Amino acid sequence: MAAGPPIEDLHFAMEPSVDEVPGPNSRKLLDRQQEIDSSAVAYPKRIPIALEEARGATVRDVDGNTFLDFFAGIGVLNVGHSNPYVLEATQNQLESVAHTVDFPTEARLDLIDKLREIAPGGLAGASNVVFGGPSGSDAIEGSIKLAKHNTGRHGLLGFEGSYHGTTAGALSLTAGKKYKKGYGPLLADTVHVPYPTRNAGVGSQDACERCLDAVKRKFEAPYGGHETPAGIWVEPIQGEGGVVVPPKGFLQGLRDIADDNDAMLIVDEIQTGLGRTGEWFATDHFDVTPDAITMAKALGGSGLPIGAMLYHEKFDTWGPGGHVGTFRGNAPAMAGGLRAIEYIESHDLLAHATELGGYLRDRIAEVAETTPEIVDVRGKGLFVGVEFEDADGSPDADIVKEIQQHCYENGVLVWSAGRHGNVLRLIPPLVLTHEQAEFGMDVLCEAVRATTEGSH
């Protein structure tokens, strides 16, 4: 018997329904937010929407407009908004006990057991889990401490194009200068090397070899310029950097370099984990066992915040209090996280994500045949990136903004990514139906045509 309702029953509708956007009620709340909320608020600047309720892969604003959600809280809501199978567990746990620090509860231990079961490669059944603060940044901070503690070194190695969070250690590893401006100095001896992108070399294998050579030099060159790193932090598929899928041998090359230099390989699965790419973890696509993986976003199942790190048991060298955080015992999020994994298993959503993601990419590829502005369509599962350039071959962020606006006005919510903001990023819930995908791609493909038709 399937756990919870079928995915077709989770949503308000199979297609969007919008009138005026933003409507008068949305404008009222947006204006109120502008007056009293932080100037750091970002998302309503691009998509002016005030939310009232959400179900599955659909959201409804305070004016009654219904949208198809193709960014799922930036990869948080893998099993959809308000999934009843998940909510049942979170609500029951909330009524029982909510805040448990790190005292044992069934919710905590059951989630750990499940994560150990689905862990990639050699981590399965041979790993431990530590919870810290409730965000992905907190999970990265914990991984930095783990690497330092186990190697005795303090240097960190990350990649150009990376995003790992915005707390001090995580921000040191994040490559985007816009996030760092005005907040230095950050952690010393943090270096960034190239990540194999479409433009990093003559071909994908050439790019891979160039990037691996750059990593190796930071460890082994006597004049590498910095302390030998304690670890390598890498996204198996870069998210904020533009949904960049590396060549097949890249992660294995990093694994080999880490092994040769007694360093840890830490894989950031905060956005790619828990089914997003059609595997439990994106690392599974590359047949590599990392030393540790960081998780957050979809881990809580319903959007409740929880961050964690799963690491090989041989690195569990901390003493009591070696890594702490007041909210490391969010029991409702733990109960919801377990239910989300069970829902994915019961409804075969890994296979669904693989098949439906292929459909999304195929639809865009059809448009790309007559749209020279589209220079790449890529991704794994329901993690899709579409890269745009102008006639001169320069990154074109403006076209992505126009497409995003057109989609919003027609009831589909999409987001952007990329080092230059020129990548359209699609990360819908794994419960998106075929019918919804078809409606959503009709809107998106029309948005691409309408935006580009006058330019060639």
Side-chain angles (χ1 to χ4, degrees):
M1 182 176 178
I7 64 171
E8 290 78 10
D9 294 348
L10 297 178
H11 320 276
F12 289 131
M14 290 295 112
E15 58 185 287
S17 175
V18 297
D19 188 10
E20 176 189 3
V21 288
N25 295 325
S26 290
R27 285 197 297 270
K28 181 178 179 181
L29 290 182
L30 290 163
D31 290 344
R32 182 182 174 196
Q33 181 180 45
Q34 180 71 27
E35 292 176 5
I36 64 175
D37 207 340
S38 168
S39 58
V41 166
Y43 288 100
K45 305 292 185 186
R46 293 282 293 272
I47 299 181
I49 181 174
L51 300 175
E52 183 171 63
E53 54 183 337
R55 297 286 186 276
T58 52
V59 298
R60 187 166 287 164
D61 71 9
V62 291
D63 296 286
N65 296 303
T66 300
F67 300 82
L68 292 179
D69 181 0
F70 271 52
F71 68 83
I74 309 301
V76 169
L77 297 153
N78 281 10
V79 295
H81 297 269
S82 305
N83 186 303
Y85 185 69
V86 174
L87 291 185
E88 178 185 45
T90 59
Q91 289 167 346
N92 288 342
Q93 185 63 55
L94 187 62
E95 293 172 3
S96 176
V97 59
H99 176 66
T100 63
V101 197
D102 57 11
F103 291 106
T105 61
E106 287 190 8
R108 181 190 191 93
L109 301 180
D110 288 348
L111 178 58
I112 292 174
D113 278 340
K114 197 65 178 178
L115 291 172
R116 295 177 79 244
E117 176 187 324
I118 66 173
L123 287 176
S127 53
N128 295 81
V129 175
V130 63
F131 300 98
S135 73
S137 293
D138 296 308
I140 293 292
E141 298 289 345
S143 72
I144 293 171
K145 291 168 66 177
L146 186 74
K148 288 183 175 183
H149 187 66
N150 276 281
T151 66
R153 303 194 294 263
H154 68 264
L156 314 178
L157 187 144
F159 291 89
E160 296 172 6
S162 66
Y163 181 86
H164 297 287
T166 57
T167 52
L171 187 57
S172 300
L173 284 165
T174 291
K177 293 181 179 179
K178 64 182 180 180
Y179 300 110
K180 300 185 180 191
K181 187 176 181 180
Y183 300 125
L186 297 169
L187 296 187
D189 283 344
T190 300
V191 297
H192 293 82
V193 296
Y195 192 95
T197 66
R198 186 176 60 85
N199 297 316
V202 176
S204 61
Q205 192 56 43
D206 183 61
C208 182
E209 291 174 2
R210 288 169 184 260
C211 295
L212 289 174
D213 183 64
V215 174
K216 189 173 183 178
R217 289 199 307 271
K218 291 301 177 184
F219 279 93
E220 300 176 9
Y223 280 76
H226 297 272
E227 185 196 52
T228 299
I232 300 169
W233 280 260
V234 62
E235 296 162 273
I237 299 173
Q238 285 194 339
E240 187 73 15
V243 194
V244 181
V245 183
K248 187 71 173 178
F250 181 61
L251 285 187
Q252 183 59 57
L254 296 181
R255 174 73 276 171
D256 293 342
I257 293 169
D259 289 341
D260 290 344
N261 293 278
D262 297 319
M264 292 187 66
L265 177 62
I266 296 112
V267 175
D268 182 342
E269 295 267 12
I270 291 166
Q271 188 166 157
T272 53
L274 300 164
R276 167 58 48 195
T277 67
E279 297 283 357
W280 284 118
F281 296 96
T283 310
D284 290 318
H285 291 287
F286 304 99
D287 299 321
V288 171
T289 298
D291 295 313
I293 60 174
T294 54
M295 299 170 282
K297 286 190 181 291
L299 181 58
S302 66
L304 291 179
I306 181 173
M309 175 175 56
L310 182 145
Y311 54 97
H312 196 280
E313 58 193 9
K314 69 182 179 183
F315 296 110
D316 195 29
T317 56
W318 279 323
H323 184 57
V324 297
T326 300
F327 293 102
R328 65 189 186 275
N330 187 341
M334 293 167 177
L338 177 62
R339 281 290 184 95
I341 294 171
E342 291 174 349
Y343 190 87
I344 291 170
E345 287 179 323
S346 180
H347 296 268
D348 200 16
L349 294 187
L350 298 183
H352 179 70
T354 299
E355 190 276 329
L356 202 61
Y359 170 77
L360 300 188
R361 290 190 293 276
D362 287 346
R363 285 290 306 272
I364 300 168
E366 290 177 8
V367 178
E369 292 178 359
T370 56
T371 308
E373 291 86 353
I374 297 177
V375 294
D376 200 18
V377 180
R378 54 186 180 248
K380 294 281 189 182
L382 286 172
F383 196 38
V384 178
V386 187
E387 186 173 357
F388 291 84
E389 290 181 355
D390 62 20
D392 297 324
S394 298
D396 196 337
D398 290 337
I399 198 171
V400 173
K401 291 179 182 178
E402 290 181 41
I403 292 168
Q404 185 181 43
Q405 178 68 22
H406 188 287
C407 287
Y408 158 66
E409 292 173 355
N410 288 274
V412 179
L413 304 180
V414 298
W415 204 250
S416 60
R419 303 179 189 194
H420 305 283
N422 65 315
V423 177
L424 191 70
R425 178 170 37 165
L426 307 180
I427 43 177
L430 308 186
V431 298
L432 186 79
T433 69
H434 283 270
E435 187 176 357
Q436 289 172 323
E438 185 173 347
F439 276 113
M441 294 311 295
D442 286 346
V443 170
L444 175 58
C445 292
E446 175 56 32
V448 173
R449 294 188 186 97
T451 304
T452 61
E453 62 184 4
S455 60
H456 51 81

